[in-house]
Amino acid sequence: MSDPKLTKAVDSICDQFIVTKSKISQLTEYFIDCMEKGLEPCESDISQNKGLPMIPTFVTDKPSGQEHGVTMLAADLGGTNFRVCSVELLGNHEFKIEQEKSKIPTFFFQDDHHVTSKDLFQHMALITHQFLTKHHKDVIQDYKWKMGFTFSYPVDQTSLSSGKLIRWTKGFKIGDTVGQDVVQLFQQELNDIGLSNVHVVALTNDTTGTLLARCYASSDAARAINEPVIGCIFGTGTNGCYMEKLENIHKLDPASREELLSQGKTHMCINTEWGSFDNELNHLPTTSYDIKIDQQFSTNPGFHLFEKRVSGLYLGEILRNILLDLEKQELFDLKESVLKNNPFILTTETLSHIEIDTVENDLQDTRDALLKAADLETTFEERVLIQKLVRAISRRAAFLAAVPIAAILIKTNALNQSYHCQVEVGCDGSVVEHYPGFRSMMRHALALSPIGPEGERDVHLRISKDGSGVGAALCALHANY
Ligand code: GLC
C-alpha cells in the first residue's frame, strides 16, 4: 500500500520541477539579453560581468571539411577523463585518429589532498608522454608536434593560444590554477619531462571543438541544406558556442577587431559558458534542493547555476537531496543507505535505468540500480514515486536545455538564413547522447519555445563525437607559432 502522505509530498515536489511554456519564453528572452550584455566590454574583472561570459575563441572560420595536413596532437581535459590523441586530417571530411583516454584520478577533486596545479599539469604531461611512447615511438623526440589543447573550463582567452582560468567548474578545486595561463602551465610541464618538441599552439573548449568537428564531418550536399550553427555539450557540464558577427563583439580589443575585419573575417566563434546563465537567479526555476546543492555540496557556490539544474554531474545529486528531505520529514526511510553521507554518489547513469524502467517489470531495474549505487532497498510503491521524481528532474533539465538553443537561433536569425531554413546543432556529452528521451524532451521544449513547432522542425540535433580530437586539430592547424 502506498503511503498517501509520501505520495502527496512527492507530487508537490514534482510540481516544483515543471517548466511551463511561458517560463521557457521568459528564459529565452532573458538568455538573449544576457548574451548581448556579455558581448559588451567587461568593466575590469571578467568574473564580475553580469551577462553571460561570452568568451571570444579567436576561431574565425568554420571548416569546410577539405582541411588536411600533418599529424597533430590533441589533449583534452574534461570533467571525468583526460584524453590524448593524434589526428591526421585527410580532407574530404575524413581523418585518422589514435587515442587514449584515462580517468582523472579522484584525488584531484578532493579538498584534503592538497593537490597543486603543478600536480595536475604534470600528470597530463606524463600521460602525453606515455601516449607518444605507445603510438609514435619512432618520432617521439625529433618531430615538431603541434598540439590543440581542449580545456573545458571558463578561461579569459586573449588569443588562440593563451587563456587564464577564470574559475574551475565540474568539481575541480585546485586554487593555484585560477588566474594562470593554462597553456603556459601545460607547456612548462611538457618541457620539463623532455617534450619541448610538443608545442601547445591552440587552446579550445569542448563546445568549439564540437562545432568545428561537426562542420568538418558534414558533406557539402548536407551543408547546403543544414548548416551547423551551434556546438553544445550536455554531459558532466553543459555549454554551447556559435559564430557571432565580429561587429557585435564589442568586448574585443578594437585593434584586433579591425585587423580581423581587414583580413576579410566576418565572424568569431563565441564560447557562451551558458552553464553560468542567470547566476543571479532572476528567472531560473529554483527549488530548495537546488539551493542546498549549490551552497553545501558544490565546489563553486553561486556560479554555474544553470549547469546545476541541467548537467549530468548534478541530476543524481538532486534526487539524493530530495530523498534526504523526505527522510527528514519522516516520510521515507533511507535505512543504512550510503546515500546519507555521500554527495554525488547517485550518477546520471543510475537515473537513466530508473527513467525507462516499467511497472510490468515491477520496477526491478530501479530496485537493482538503487541497491547497486546506494545499497538502498525499496518497496514497489517507493520505486513508483522515485521514478516519478527522476522523470521530473530529467524533464526539467531537458526543457531548460532547449532555452539556449532557441535563444541563439533567434539572436543569430539562423532559421531564416538559407532557402531551406534548416540548421544543425552539433551535440556531445553523456546526457544528450545516452540519457533515455533527453533529446526528444529537448525537442518538445524547442517546440514550446518562441521558435515554435515550425522552427523546431527545422532544427536537427546531431551527435558530434570528435570535438576534442578533430576540433582541436582544426584549431591547431591554423595556429602560428
Ligand atoms: C563547464 C565548463 C565549460 C564546458 C562545459 C562542458 O560548464 O565551464 O567550459 O564547456 O562544462 O564540458
Side-chain angles (χ1 to χ4, degrees), residues 298-313:
S298 79
T299 49
N300 51 353
F303 292 101
H304 262 45
L305 298 188
F306 181 75
E307 178 159 286
K308 289 172 188 167
R309 286 148 179 76
V310 172
S311 81
L313 182 59

Side-chain angles (χ1 to χ4, degrees), residues 316-327:
E317 185 57 7
I318 300 176
L319 177 66
R320 190 185 77 93
N321 276 277
I322 296 176
L323 296 178
L324 290 181
D325 180 39
L326 291 171
E327 177 171 81

Side-chain angles (χ1 to χ4, degrees), residues 121 149 151 155 163 165 177 180-186 203:
F121 286 90
F149 176 26
F151 181 78
V155 290
L165 177 65
T177 322
Q180 301 288 322
D181 185 327
V182 292
V183 172
Q184 277 175 19
L185 293 176
F186 193 19
L203 173 66

Side-chain angles (χ1 to χ4, degrees), residues 16-34 50 276-287 290 305-306 309 396 399-400 403:
Q16 296 170 45
F17 281 78
I18 292 173
V19 181
T20 60
K21 183 174 190 299
S22 63
K23 189 56 157 180
I24 295 176
S25 293
Q26 180 196 50
L27 286 168
T28 307
E29 269 170 40
Y30 187 54
F31 195 97
I32 297 172
D33 285 354
C34 292
K50 293 286 184 244
S276 254
F277 172 48
D278 198 11
N279 284 341
E280 294 73 41
L281 291 183
N282 287 328
H283 299 293
L284 268 186
T286 299
T287 67
D290 300 310
L305 298 188
F306 181 75
R309 286 148 179 76
R396 182 184 73 165
F399 272 40
L400 291 178
V403 165

Side-chain angles (χ1 to χ4, degrees), residues 214-425:
R214 187 64 219 147
C215 293
Y216 186 82
S218 189
S219 71
D220 300 347
R223 283 276 276 274
I225 303 172
N226 302 316
E227 180 66 14
V229 292
I230 297 177
C232 61
I233 308 287
F234 296 100
T236 309
T238 181
N239 191 9
C241 72
Y242 72 104
M243 300 302 287
E244 180 58 86
K245 285 188 185 145
L246 278 171
E247 67 202 46
N248 293 340
I249 313 175
H250 302 136
K251 72 201 294 181
L252 264 187
D253 161 47
S256 357
R257 193 158 49 139
E258 283 318 310
E259 196 188 324
L260 290 168
L261 288 168
S262 72
Q263 293 164 7
K265 305 292 181 196
T266 53
H267 288 74
M268 185 182 282
C269 179
I270 294 289
N271 164 13
T272 65
E273 282 293 330
W274 72 39
S276 254
F277 172 48
D278 198 11
N279 284 341
E280 294 73 41
L281 291 183
N282 287 328
H283 299 293
L284 268 186
T286 299
T287 67
S288 57
Y289 311 108
D290 300 310
I291 295 173
K292 193 162 169 207
I293 292 169
D294 176 47
Q295 295 297 317
Q296 283 187 25
F297 299 120
S298 79
T299 49
N300 51 353
F303 292 101
H304 262 45
L305 298 188
F306 181 75
E307 178 159 286
K308 289 172 188 167
R309 286 148 179 76
V310 172
S311 81
L313 182 59
Y314 299 97
L315 302 185
E317 185 57 7
I318 300 176
L319 177 66
R320 190 185 77 93
N321 276 277
I322 296 176
L323 296 178
L324 290 181
D325 180 39
L326 291 171
E327 177 171 81
K328 202 163 150 211
Q329 296 180 49
E330 297 181 356
L331 294 172
F332 185 74
D333 186 3
L334 283 174
K335 301 170 209 102
E336 293 309 308
S337 166
V338 288
L339 270 188
K340 281 189 201 168
N341 302 315
N342 288 288
F344 297 100
I345 196 170
L346 283 181
T347 62
T348 306
E349 196 194 330
T350 302
L351 267 55
S352 68
H353 292 298
I354 303 176
E355 175 92 23
I356 46 166
D357 202 4
T358 60
V359 170
E360 293 74 50
N361 180 36
D362 238 358
L363 294 172
Q364 280 301 326
D365 292 348
T366 301
R367 176 170 179 262
D368 295 348
L370 290 168
L371 273 173
K372 186 166 161 218
D375 212 2
L376 177 66
E377 182 55 276
T378 45
T379 64
F380 173 74
E381 286 75 21
E382 286 169 344
R383 294 199 288 278
V384 169
L385 296 176
I386 290 174
Q387 187 182 56
K388 233 184 198 180
L389 289 167
V390 165
R391 289 179 172 173
I393 295 167
S394 64
R395 194 176 161 86
R396 182 184 73 165
F399 272 40
L400 291 178
V403 165
I405 298 191
I408 293 174
L409 294 176
I410 295 168
K411 181 176 188 308
T412 54
N413 199 22
L415 289 168
N416 298 312
Q417 299 283 319
S418 70
Y419 174 64
H420 292 285
C421 301
Q422 305 213 357
V423 295
E424 251 187 31
V425 175

Side-chain angles (χ1 to χ4, degrees), residues 152-154 169-170 205-207 233 237-239 273 304 307:
S152 302
Y153 300 87
T169 53
K170 298 181 286 194
N205 182 274
D206 48 5
T207 52
I233 308 287
T238 181
N239 191 9
E273 282 293 330
H304 262 45
E307 178 159 286

